[in-house]
């Protein structure tokens, strides 16, 4: 018989909110947990517009997101019409969180519904 000791990672907690002014629109990813989130990865899709011509994706990663720190994911698109914006964020030691929002695009300005 052998005895094995397992070492787990403490879990971080991620949160997604939206932020915007008249000229910039972004999604804010915050580590609301007490420990750093490791190997944070995100995937954002923007679809819609007139005749559904807008189809953008954005992927990214960050090696570490410290506790109570926020990163901003800038949303940029050009066109007219309704949009569907979806973002998914996950980390090695955090559960996947996602947010889907409806918006309206007027040239470069995005207005949340």
């Amino acid at each position: 018989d052998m005895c094995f000791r397992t070492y787990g990672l403490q879990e971080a907690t991620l949160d997604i909110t939206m932020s915007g002014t008249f000229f910039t629109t972004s999604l804010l990813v915050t580590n609301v947990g007490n420990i750093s989130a490791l190997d944070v990865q995100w995937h954002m899709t923007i679809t819609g517009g007139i005749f559904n011509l807008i189809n953008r994706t954005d992927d990214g990663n960050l090696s570490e997101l410290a506790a109570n720190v926020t990163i901003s994911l800038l949303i940029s698109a050009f066109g007219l019409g309704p949009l569907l914006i979806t973002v998914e964020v996950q980390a090695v030691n955090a559960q996947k969180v996602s947010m889907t929002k409806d918006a309206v695009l007027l040239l470069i300005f995005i207005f949340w519904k």
Side-chain angles (χ1 to χ4, degrees):
D1 283 331
M2 298 176 116
C3 180
F4 292 97
R5 177 177 276 171
T6 58
Y7 297 94
L9 293 173
Q10 292 180 335
E11 188 172 39
T13 305
L14 301 174
D15 185 42
I16 304 171
T17 56
M18 27 177 205
S19 173
T21 64
F22 190 69
F23 294 106
T24 61
T25 304
S26 58
L27 294 170
L28 304 176
V29 178
T30 305
N31 180 357
V32 295
N34 294 326
I35 62 165
S36 293
L38 305 173
D39 192 22
V40 179
Q41 299 178 356
W42 63 85
H43 177 75
M44 182 172 26
T45 58
I46 303 171
T47 57
I50 295 178
F51 305 118
N52 288 323
L53 294 176
I54 298 171
N55 187 13
R56 295 184 47 125
T57 60
D58 181 25
D59 296 309
N61 61 9
L62 186 64
S63 60
E64 181 178 359
L65 182 60
N68 298 312
V69 173
T70 299
I71 59 171
S72 177
L73 307 178
L74 185 63
I75 300 172
S76 63
F78 181 77
L80 293 169
L83 294 179
L84 183 65
I85 301 169
T86 303
V87 64
E88 295 178 340
V89 181
Q90 65 184 8
V92 170
N93 61 334
Q95 293 184 8
K96 181 190 295 187
V97 292
S98 62
M99 174 188 265
T100 301
K101 270 313 217 189
D102 290 319
V104 175
L105 179 64
L106 298 173
L107 297 177
I108 60 170
F109 305 108
I110 298 174
F111 301 96
W112 302 105
K113 286 186 177 181

